[in-house]
Amino acid sequence: MRTKPPPEDVEAEEASFTPPLDVGRLGDLLGFHLRMAHVAIYRDFAETMEELRLTQKQLAVMELVAGNPGVSQIDLANTLGTDRATMMALVNRLAARDFIERRPSAADRRRQELHLTEAGRATLARARALIAMHEQRFIELFSPDEMDALLAALKRIYKGG
């Protein structure tokens, strides 16, 4: 839910605006442009998810649990490229909000399976509607062919070829 700042805030912002810095050699670095694009998308995501108080990582965990009921924390950590301690903290936060529940595995007592709760499913449904709007703001910057090419290029980077 974006709102325009009050007029006095706009005036203060305009008065304090300085021209952007010359980025010099950074302008030729792929990593710099990926980082700047990430920051733009991250900020928009944070604004979009403000009402639900969900981070990108939390939403990713909820999506993976929704698509893979009974998944383990270790499998989530491996898929998202994070360590076990970080994943445990993420799952703990989602469980504290009653979005995810742990259940003992019938096949292996040492393993806990993760499932979305009713509240988790409802929150994920609302998050998906918000994410669709968030994604559309960026997708509409590209033609369908450009979007396909961009996604293919990004996948090439993180899949290593």
Side-chain angles (χ1 to χ4, degrees):
M1 308 253 166
R2 296 167 181 248
T3 58
K4 288 188 174 187
E8 63 274 6
D9 289 349
V10 172
E11 291 169 10
E13 186 176 311
E14 288 173 356
S16 67
F17 177 77
T18 56
L21 296 176
D22 175 359
V23 296
R25 294 182 60 197
L26 291 175
D28 296 328
L29 298 177
L30 172 63
F32 175 76
H33 292 287
L34 287 172
R35 175 72 178 140
M36 296 305 291
H38 170 76
V39 168
I41 290 172
Y42 177 82
R43 285 181 179 157
D44 189 82
F45 180 93
E47 267 185 50
T48 302
M49 288 292 125
E50 190 172 24
E51 75 177 70
L52 296 179
R53 297 175 326 177
L54 286 175
T55 66
Q56 288 176 323
K57 288 180 182 179
Q58 290 171 342
L59 183 68
V61 168
M62 290 177 71
E63 283 288 359
L64 289 171
V65 172
N68 303 277
V71 68
S72 72
Q73 287 180 186
I74 294 169
D75 293 336
L76 292 174
N78 291 339
T79 299
L80 295 176
T82 189
D83 60 84
R84 292 178 185 185
T86 300
M87 184 54 60
M88 185 170 69
L90 279 166
V91 170
N92 285 346
R93 280 188 218 106
L94 292 168
R97 293 181 66 189
D98 191 36
F99 293 161
I100 286 181
E101 65 183 359
R102 293 176 172 99
R103 297 180 194 161
S105 168
D108 182 352
R109 290 184 180 190
R110 296 169 295 173
R111 177 185 161 120
Q112 290 190 336
E113 298 177 346
L114 302 175
H115 297 270
L116 287 183
T117 63
E118 194 62 41
R121 285 189 290 279
T123 299
L124 184 57
R126 176 68 182 133
R128 285 173 173 167
L130 293 170
I131 288 296
M133 294 183 301
H134 158 75
E135 285 282 303
Q136 192 57 39
R137 285 192 285 276
F138 293 96
I139 290 170
E140 66 190 19
L141 299 173
F142 302 96
S143 71
D145 287 344
E146 288 173 326
M147 194 67 210
D148 290 344
L150 176 59
L151 291 177
L154 292 172
K155 288 176 185 175
R156 198 173 322 141
I157 289 171
Y158 68 81
K159 289 184 177 179

